[in-house]
Amino acid sequence: GRRRRRTALATVVLALMVVGALAVWLLRGPSTPFAITGVEVSAPKKQQTCDAAVRITGVFATNGSGGEIRYEWRRSDRKTPIEQTDTVPAGEASHEVSLEWTVKGEGRFRGTATLRLLSPLPDGKKVQDKASFTYKCP
C-alpha cells in the first residue's frame, strides 16, 4: 500500500514537472532575432618583413541569438571581394573571423583589409571596419 502511494505520488509530481516545463517553453514568447551590432578589425602593428603571412582579425558583436552571418573581406590589392558565410551559435556575444594575407617579394607595401557585413544588416545600416599593415623587404 505505502509503496504504491509513493510511486503514484512520484508519478504525479513528475507529470506536473513535465507539464510545467512545457508550459514555460510554450509561453516564453518569441526569441530575439539574430542581429549583429558592430564590427572591429585589427592588423599587426609591427612592420611585416620579407615573405610575410599576415593575419587580419575581425570581430562581429552579436546580440547573443544564434544565426547565419554573411560577410566579405576586401583587400586593397584586389578588386574581387572574398565572400564567406558562418553560423554563429546562440549564446555568443561575439564572433571572430580572420583573413590570411601572404605578401612576397622585395619592396614596400601598405595593405588594407576591409570587413563588411552582408547580412543580417541592422536597419539597412552599413556595418564595416578596416585595418592596415605595412610590409618592407629590402
Side-chain angles (χ1 to χ4, degrees):
R2 209 183 257 185
R3 182 178 274 180
R4 193 176 289 169
R5 275 193 301 243
R6 236 187 296 173
T7 304
L9 181 61
T11 304
V12 169
V13 169
L14 181 61
L16 287 173
M17 288 173 59
V18 169
V19 168
L22 184 60
V24 167
W25 184 76
L26 290 173
L27 298 174
R28 67 179 162 66
S31 61
T32 306
F34 177 60
I36 299 295
T37 57
V39 66
E40 202 170 298
V41 178
S42 60
K45 304 260 184 257
K46 185 179 161 192
Q47 180 174 284
Q48 304 297 298
T49 57
C50 300
D51 301 336
V54 182
R55 182 180 168 95
I56 313 289
T57 304
V59 179
F60 288 103
T62 78
N63 66 348
S65 294
E68 189 175 86
I69 181 173
R70 275 187 43 239
Y71 58 94
E72 69 180 14
W73 284 103
R74 289 188 172 266
R75 288 175 35 166
S76 57
D77 67 339
R78 291 186 180 174
K79 289 186 187 246
T80 309
I82 303 160
E83 282 194 35
Q84 293 180 297
T85 303
D86 283 356
T87 300
V88 180
E92 283 191 3
S94 63
H95 182 72
E96 185 176 302
V97 296
S98 64
L99 172 71
E100 296 292 329
W101 189 337
T102 303
V103 184
K104 293 184 178 190
E106 293 183 2
R108 291 175 168 257
F109 176 74
R110 179 174 172 82
T112 301
T114 303
L115 177 59
R116 187 172 143 223
L117 178 67
L118 301 176
S119 74
L121 289 175
D123 301 325
K125 294 177 188 170
K126 229 183 206 183
V127 176
Q128 68 180 37
D129 192 26
K130 62 184 173 181
S132 299
F133 67 93
T134 57
Y135 171 86
K136 183 182 177 188
C137 184

